[in-house]
Amino acid sequence: MHSNHQARGVTRALTALLAAASLAACADETPTAPTARLPEGGVQSLAPNLDLLPSGQFFNTKPAFVTGSPNGKAAYVQVYDKDGVQLIRFKAFTDPWDIGGVEVALGDVNGDLWPDIIAGEGPAHFAPTSSRISVWDGHNGRLLGTTVASGGFKDGVRVGAGDKNGDGRDEVYMCTGPSTTYSHYEIFEFNPTAPNLRGLIMSEGLGWFTGKNSYNGCRVAGGDLDGDGKDELLAVFEGPSNALLVRSPGSGTAVRWNALGAGYTGGISIASADVNKDGKAEVFLGRLMATDKMPPVRMYDGAKVIGSLALPTPTIYYPIKNSIYNTGIYVAAHDLSLDGIPELMAKLSTTGGVSGYVALTGPTFTSLWRNQMEPGTLPAGGPIN
């Protein structure tokens, strides 16, 4: 926590959004300007060849986390460094139908040790193509590739990343939004010779493994749960299925039911990170349904998730305790303090007020690392990743 980040604007916004008087607010009064901005207009076609920075320019620090925009808003992506300084804000998709928000993730898809920026198009029912996925280089801002969900799917996609084969380059994980088409995930990899994204695993759904399809959408992340150096694909299937699917490079696919408790039928946010530095990642699940003012986050021991036939008992955290709204919560896990242990990040899913987030210091997540508003009074409700 940095005392020079105290700000009048943060206090006003926190009062309006969180009413979290017990939390010490800290934020940048004036965000540092990015090296460059994407011109208004953004990405407008399937292969736009439009970069975030002019040739020869670079971000001066690594992206640490990203936020997206909620359904009903333009597809703005916000990229931040570890101190919460905004590196860039840009429209990932700007066609007339792109008012479905945007889902976001970070992953080193080209293996240069800089996290790259991944965007998934929100619902766009009048689009001429399937829902799109685009990736930009997190160092120089170059567009690395754009692809689409298979099968003419236009109901929006959610994105994540993980190193599926342990080669030092992340694959792009994609999950579909609610639709009359069954919810499914796909895996893409960066093809440096094209360059572009190419499909590795196409259209696997919950029904492939259980015989029962889900249609309420899914969200996805990557994490090495068993410590073999290869990331599992973690997909949460939302709605009545309330299931966590783990696709492991070494031990096949497992499904764990009632990931957020028996009877839960809402949306689920997911993240994964190694909390105790044992080389095995934990799984974080956030409840997106706005049922009360103190949404819980469940943390599961990842090794036990895949090492037993049922979900282990979770540890439960409450990153945001005094929201003035009934709300759900988006979760992320990133090492902001650079001590090798992730901070637990949380952002309200309610689309009321302006957008802010908190970060709790790992491994206990009992003390506040940061409580900050996004600059520019951005609308609340978008994802964090």
Side-chain angles (χ1 to χ4, degrees), residues 28 30-37 59-61 63 65 67 76-90 357 372-378:
D28 291 87
T30 305
T32 301
T35 305
R37 292 290 184 99
F59 293 113
N60 57 13
T61 187
F65 64 97
T67 63
Y76 274 106
V77 174
Q78 295 74 222
V79 184
Y80 297 94
D81 71 7
K82 65 181 181 62
D83 296 315
V85 176
Q86 190 178 98
L87 300 178
I88 194 169
R89 183 176 190 242
F90 67 97
Y357 61 90
Q372 190 158 323
M373 307 309 299
E374 294 197 71
T377 61
L378 303 182

Side-chain angles (χ1 to χ4, degrees), residues 63-373:
F65 64 97
V66 286
T67 63
S69 302
N71 194 354
K73 300 294 182 180
Y76 274 106
V77 174
Q78 295 74 222
V79 184
Y80 297 94
D81 71 7
K82 65 181 181 62
D83 296 315
V85 176
Q86 190 178 98
L87 300 178
I88 194 169
R89 183 176 190 242
F90 67 97
K91 282 184 178 179
F93 309 102
T94 62
D95 292 296
W97 49 81
D98 282 310
I99 56 172
V102 61
E103 298 280 334
V104 289
L106 289 176
D108 182 12
V109 304
N110 59 4
D112 66 353
L113 303 182
W114 280 65
D116 303 310
I117 304 158
I118 306 168
E121 189 176 26
H125 300 132
F126 298 101
T129 67
S130 293
S131 297
R132 294 173 285 183
I133 305 99
S134 291
V135 182
W136 290 266
D137 191 302
H139 192 198
N140 60 25
R142 181 170 58 91
L143 180 71
L144 294 177
T146 296
T147 190
V148 297
S150 62
F153 186 86
K154 299 181 181 181
D155 292 298
V157 293
R158 290 82 176 263
V159 288
D163 186 358
K164 174 181 174 292
N165 52 16
D167 65 354
R169 294 190 296 132
D170 283 334
E171 281 68 50
V172 175
Y173 298 160
M174 181 219 81
C175 244
T176 56
S179 176
T180 55
T181 301
Y182 72 91
S183 302
H184 59 276
Y185 59 80
E186 302 180 29
I187 302 177
F188 303 92
E189 69 174 353
F190 174 60
N191 178 13
T193 60
N196 213 322
L197 301 174
R198 58 189 175 194
L200 285 180
I201 302 296
M202 303 302 291
S203 193
E204 290 182 347
L206 189 63
W208 283 60
F209 307 100
T210 67
K212 181 181 179 181
N213 282 324
S214 171
Y215 296 85
N216 294 82
C218 54
R219 285 182 168 83
V220 70
D224 183 4
L225 305 191
D226 55 9
D228 67 352
K230 301 176 182 179
D231 286 337
E232 276 67 40
L233 177 145
L234 312 171
V236 279
F237 287 84
E238 303 173 327
S241 60
N242 186 9
L244 169 64
L245 181 149
V246 180
R247 189 183 198 279
S248 175
S251 56
T253 300
V255 176
R256 303 289 181 253
W257 300 101
N258 298 323
L260 261 74
Y264 182 75
T265 60
I268 305 172
S269 177
I270 184 169
S272 182
D274 180 6
V275 172
N276 54 15
K277 302 176 79 169
D278 66 351
K280 300 177 182 180
E282 280 64 49
V283 181
F284 298 89
L285 300 180
R287 190 189 65 201
L288 289 174
M289 182 183 287
T291 57
D292 59 41
K293 297 178 181 180
M294 197 166 71
V297 173
R298 293 189 174 206
M299 186 185 77
Y300 287 102
D301 183 314
K304 292 181 180 179
V305 168
I306 60 175
S308 60
L309 296 179
L311 282 170
T313 301
T315 304
I316 299 179
Y317 301 101
Y318 297 92
I320 297 172
K321 297 181 180 180
N322 292 301
S323 170
I324 63 175
Y325 306 104
N326 283 352
T327 184
I329 194 170
Y330 284 100
V331 295
H334 296 291
D335 181 12
L336 304 179
S337 57
L338 302 183
D339 63 353
I341 301 173
E343 275 61 58
L344 173 61
M345 306 187 73
K347 188 172 182 284
L348 300 184
S349 64
T350 302
T351 55
V354 294
S355 183
Y357 61 90
V358 299
L360 304 181
T361 304
T364 61
F365 309 121
T366 56
S367 61
L368 189 69
W369 173 258
R370 180 168 296 115
N371 191 348
Q372 190 158 323
M373 307 309 299

